[in-house]
Amino acid sequence: MNSIDEKGVNKSFHDNSKEDMENGTYEVIKNRLLKQGSDLKERVEKLNKERKNVFGSIETKVLGSERIITDNNCIPRDMAPVEDYFIFGYNVHIGLKSKVELSDVFSIYKYENRSFVKQSFDLISDKDFINDFDELYKYYKNTFFAKFTITEPYFYMIFQTGKDPTDIKVFKWVIEGNKLVYVDSRSEHEIRFKNKSEFRFIKATRDDQRSGIHPHVSILDKVFVETLEGDLTIKIEDNTTTGKGIYSEPVEYMDQTLDDAEIYYADLEQIIILKIKPYKEEEYRYFIFNNKLKNVVRIDSIKDTCILLPGNHGIIFPEGYYLQNGEYKIFDVEADNSIFDKRVSSTNGEDYQYIFYNTYSGLYLIYSYNIIEQKIDTPIVCSGYSHFNNGEMIIFKNESEPRKNHIIQIWQTPYVGKNYVTEGNKDSLLFKIGNKDIVNAMADCKGVCKLIQKGEGYQSIYVDIVKESERIIDSYFWLDKEEIFNLKEVLINIKESATFAIGEFEKVMRIKTSTKRQIEEVSIRAGKVLNNLKYGSLDSINEYVKALADIRNLRGEISSLKDLRYADLNIVNSLDVNVKEKYEEFSKKMC
């Protein structure tokens, strides 16, 4: 490892960086930063391996499948645990049967040794409940079981009594260990199938409007929106003299004013969510604007429900997710009419489950997010799920047709219960620091690695790398310990490299801008020259000679473009080919 002076600065870094800076190469600094990013990633992976040795680790994986047999053909609707028991809820086509029994809606099993043992109805055989259950099916002919909901210490059985999922009847119980104590059948007000988002939309007002030839609405002076002249346009410049933006799509009615559209926004720091309804349109359109990357994506499934990921990493919604770094994915799942059902977190603070529920189909979408890897896998689609104290989770595979034979999939997950005891090496420094703090530090470091990998992803990226490195160093005092693989050392190196890169990157951007402008100027001149040759009249030998001279001069300018730093050679070579062909064509006419 490199030595650190009393100020916490890497000595060898200064020695090497002096030589590098004398070379004046942005590429050298960038390559050094990439190597340091790889070094940080390797150390984090070593730390993660050691952390798992100290605290243990439970991976998410499929353990196998089992089957349960019901008395009647039915479609599973939901399941819920009560200690080591679980209640299976379903719907049976009654046919000529005059009365619905408990056994037509529920089965109770004990889960032990990854097998299912059928139980009696003692768990829910309360006389008042049975009476309320009988009256429900007596007075509401279209009743069917919808779902279970657990809000500790309460256990709710929810039945739908009409066509709308909000037409419900609810039976409430109290969970006492492995028993249920019946409360009442009047708890509908405690259950609401509502769309839920963990942020608030703010409506843009007249004060946010900016007048001009192409007026628009300013959203926090970061992004600008209008629905005029037949298009919904999103801009990143507060310039009302032009209608050009970074994103545009047609609207239904061309004739509308700036006041006609309904525009809402939610500020989530790096990203801004836009909710826009153009004039006379029925549906809102939803967009995510990334203030760092300066780009926009439209994701309408945000409308139902949208939940924040931990650590300000981004958002998750029924169809997919969007991360602050611009990564997003939309999965091919049935997501309309979905609500947020539950968030489940692991005791180590590393893994999170986000569960959405479709109020019409009864299907669940179970997403898993790991804050260290910062990724989300394809969701589990099922008709019910149950978590148990040892972290095992069982799910009912989705079934579209009634049957007696039902497949239950068994998963091992890190979502153990509050009574689950994990053993650890108490003598280790990692144990004394604590699993959650180490996980958070690793997640932060992985975030720095991702920023470095983005390279020139956006203009202020090196400033962000410096700020984030400083924040991590200041947040975790133990980063310089050998047991932590001295993450502080490499973070200091990264901070210093990124500091040097800021100035060099600005120089590079100025050079790139200048090179791009010169190429554009020559392209415009080339277009004029070639158009004059194509559509103009050359009546004398002198005019032909002048035209050839213009083309030769133009080819000389194009050739000089190739020597410019950061020139796009594809554009330059294409321009050179066009002019060369015209030059050869006119040369033959002169012969």
Side-chain angles (χ1 to χ4, degrees):
M1 291 186 179
N2 297 329
S3 60
I4 306 294
D5 64 19
E6 66 277 4
K7 296 181 180 180
V9 177
N10 189 310
K11 293 178 180 179
S12 63
F13 176 86
H14 276 311
D15 296 338
N16 293 329
S17 62
K18 183 178 179 181
E19 179 183 346
D20 292 342
M21 293 305 294
E22 287 174 353
N23 293 333
T25 59
Y26 164 69
E27 286 76 12
V28 170
I29 300 174
K30 185 172 71 172
N31 289 334
R32 168 168 290 180
L33 199 54
L34 286 170
K35 290 179 181 178
Q36 291 165 344
S38 297
D39 185 14
L40 178 61
K41 183 179 178 181
E42 289 175 6
R43 297 191 194 197
V44 168
E45 289 172 351
K46 289 178 182 177
L47 175 58
N48 196 27
K49 185 177 180 180
E50 186 62 27
R51 178 186 69 90
K52 291 179 179 180
N53 290 336
V54 171
F55 294 99
S57 176
I58 303 177
E59 304 293 336
T60 299
K61 59 183 179 181
V62 178
L63 297 176
S65 295
E66 291 290 334
R67 295 177 182 270
I68 63 171
I69 310 298
T70 54
D71 295 334
N72 302 300
N73 287 318
C74 64
I75 296 178
R77 184 73 186 206
D78 203 358
M79 66 166 75
V82 180
E83 290 289 327
D84 291 332
Y85 296 91
F86 77 92
I87 305 177
F88 173 26
Y90 47 86
N91 291 294
V92 175
H93 180 65
I94 302 303
L96 299 176
K97 195 172 181 180
S98 59
K99 183 182 178 182
V100 178
E101 307 287 348
L102 283 183
S103 59
D104 296 323
V105 181
F106 300 115
S107 292
I108 300 174
Y109 294 83
K110 187 172 185 180
Y111 180 63
E112 55 185 6
N113 300 321
R114 298 177 189 168
S115 62
F116 306 94
V117 181
K118 194 166 185 179
Q119 304 292 302
S120 68
F121 284 96
D122 289 347
L123 187 66
I124 57 173
S125 61
D126 184 274
K127 291 181 180 179
D128 291 334
F129 165 65
I130 295 174
N131 182 63
D132 290 339
F133 177 88
D134 290 341
E135 287 190 354
L136 171 67
Y137 276 91
K138 179 179 179 181
Y139 294 111
Y140 295 92
K141 298 299 183 183
N142 296 320
T143 293
F144 64 89
F145 172 71
K147 78 184 297 286
F148 297 112
T149 291
I150 297 177
T151 306
E152 296 228 0
Y154 300 113
F155 183 101
Y156 300 92
M157 297 173 174
I158 304 168
F159 290 78
Q160 186 171 325
T161 58
K163 292 183 178 180
D164 195 286
T166 59
D167 299 331
I168 59 174
K169 187 73 172 176
V170 176
F171 299 131
K172 180 180 178 181
W173 305 73
V174 174
I175 303 172
E176 294 184 355
N178 61 356
K179 295 181 180 180
L180 290 177
V181 178
Y182 186 59
V183 179
D184 61 42
S185 61
R186 301 178 300 278
S187 299
E188 290 79 16
H189 62 284
E190 298 179 26
I191 300 295
R192 288 289 179 266
F193 291 156
K194 287 185 177 180
N195 293 338
K196 175 184 177 182
S197 293
E198 291 186 328
F199 51 81
R200 184 172 62 91
F201 280 106
I202 300 171
K203 187 173 184 178
T205 66
R206 277 181 169 270
D207 293 337
D208 300 312
Q209 295 183 5
R210 303 288 184 267
S211 59
I213 300 173
H214 298 280
H216 53 228
V217 174
S218 172
I219 307 299
L220 303 171
D221 290 330
K222 295 179 180 179
V223 62
F224 308 90
V225 181
E226 49 93 343
T227 57
L228 308 176
E229 300 177 0
D231 293 312
L232 185 158
T233 302
I234 300 175
K235 312 174 188 178
I236 57 173
E237 294 182 1
D238 191 6
N239 185 349
T240 56
T241 60
T242 175
K244 188 177 181 181
I246 59 170
Y247 184 91
S248 182
E249 63 182 35
V251 296
E252 293 179 10
Y253 294 89
M254 291 190 61
D255 299 327
Q256 54 184 292
T257 67
L258 204 59
D259 291 323
D260 291 332
E262 295 181 32
I263 301 173
Y264 295 81
Y265 64 91
D267 182 18
L268 304 181
E269 296 184 13
Q270 187 169 314
I271 63 176
I272 295 175
I273 299 179
L274 300 171
K275 174 184 174 182
I276 303 171
K277 185 165 74 170
Y279 180 59
K280 284 190 175 180
E281 294 189 15
E282 295 183 1
E283 300 291 335
Y284 283 96
R285 309 182 190 191
Y286 292 79
F287 305 88
I288 298 177
F289 168 70
N290 193 305
N291 193 38
K292 294 289 187 184
L293 303 179
K294 305 299 182 187
N295 61 16
V296 174
V297 294
R298 179 175 174 178
I299 303 177
D300 285 338
S301 67
I302 292 173
K303 70 181 185 297
D304 289 327
T305 183
C306 192
I307 304 299
L308 300 178
L309 291 171
N312 197 28
H313 287 186
I315 57 175
I316 187 168
F317 40 90
E319 269 190 354
Y321 64 92
Y322 184 100
L323 302 183
Q324 290 272 15
N325 60 21
E327 296 176 19
Y328 74 97
K329 187 167 185 178
I330 306 298
F331 294 98
D332 184 17
V333 292
E334 183 183 339
D336 286 343
N337 305 304
S338 293
I339 61 171
F340 179 62
D341 188 63
K342 184 184 292 186
R343 179 194 286 108
V344 182
S345 58
S346 63
T347 55
N348 60 16
E350 178 182 355
D351 296 287
Y352 294 80
Q353 265 188 356
Y354 294 86
I355 303 168
F356 298 92
Y357 172 72
N358 190 306
T359 56
Y360 281 87
S361 69
L363 291 179
Y364 290 92
L365 298 170
I366 303 177
Y367 288 90
S368 294
Y369 181 67
N370 182 280
I371 69 168
I372 298 176
E373 299 301 327
Q374 298 179 23
K375 67 176 183 178
I376 296 177
D377 296 324
T378 302
I380 298 171
V381 182
C382 62
S383 295
Y385 66 94
S386 288
H387 287 97
F388 293 96
N389 190 56
N390 62 357
E392 290 180 3
M393 178 181 75
I394 58 175
I395 65 167
F396 268 116
K397 299 294 288 183
N398 178 35
E399 298 173 4
S400 57
E401 297 294 332
R403 64 181 65 175
K404 292 182 179 181
N405 195 326
H406 308 278
I407 298 176
I408 294 184
Q409 202 171 59
I410 305 170
W411 289 69
Q412 179 63 64
T413 77
Y415 309 104
V416 297
K418 57 187 178 182
N419 298 322
Y420 186 79
V421 178
T422 58
E423 295 182 359
N425 181 0
K426 297 182 180 180
D427 295 327
S428 169
L429 174 65
L430 273 64
F431 190 89
K432 295 174 183 177
I433 292 171
N435 202 358
K436 284 190 176 181
D437 275 355
I438 295 172
V439 165
N440 289 334
M442 289 192 299
D444 290 344
C445 289
K446 276 294 185 76
V448 170
C449 293
K450 284 180 176 286
L451 284 174
I452 293 172
Q453 288 298 319
K454 273 188 174 294
E456 300 164 8
Y458 54 90
Q459 193 163 359
S460 62
I461 191 163
Y462 295 111
V463 174
D464 287 350
I465 292 173
V466 170
K467 289 180 179 178
E468 191 62 12
S469 297
E470 284 181 341
R471 186 189 67 79
I472 296 171
I473 292 170
D474 293 340
S475 298
Y476 308 100
F477 68 89
W478 36 264
L479 290 177
D480 59 346
K481 306 301 181 185
E482 288 187 11
E483 296 92 331
I484 311 299
F485 298 94
N486 203 348
L487 296 180
K488 181 177 180 179
E489 177 186 54
V490 68
L491 284 168
I492 289 173
N493 291 347
I494 288 171
K495 173 189 167 184
E496 297 239 344
S497 292
T499 301
F500 285 126
I502 292 171
E504 292 301 307
F505 185 49
E506 289 176 354
K507 294 177 186 177
V508 168
M509 293 304 293
R510 286 197 295 270
I511 295 170
K512 284 185 175 182
T513 300
S514 175
T515 297
K516 183 180 179 182
R517 184 178 66 253
Q518 291 181 63
I519 292 175
E520 289 175 348
E521 289 173 352
V522 173
S523 296
I524 291 171
R525 285 199 294 274
K528 290 180 179 179
V529 169
L530 296 181
N531 280 336
N532 287 337
L533 294 176
K534 184 175 182 179
Y535 300 109
S537 58
L538 302 176
D539 300 325
S540 67
I541 189 67
N542 289 334
E543 290 176 341
Y544 269 102
V545 171
K546 184 178 182 305
L548 284 172
D550 288 342
I551 297 176
R552 280 196 298 270
N553 290 336
L554 192 58
R555 290 199 66 195
E557 290 184 60
I558 293 171
S559 179
S560 66
L561 292 177
K562 297 178 181 180
D563 297 327
L564 295 177
R565 292 181 67 188
Y566 306 112
D568 189 331
L569 294 181
N570 290 329
I571 295 176
V572 175
N573 289 332
S574 176
L575 189 61
D576 189 29
V577 168
N578 290 338
V579 175
K580 181 181 179 183
E581 289 177 353
K582 186 59 67 175
Y583 177 78
E584 292 175 349
E585 178 184 335
F586 268 75
S587 296
K588 290 178 181 178
K589 290 183 179 181
M590 290 290 292
C591 297

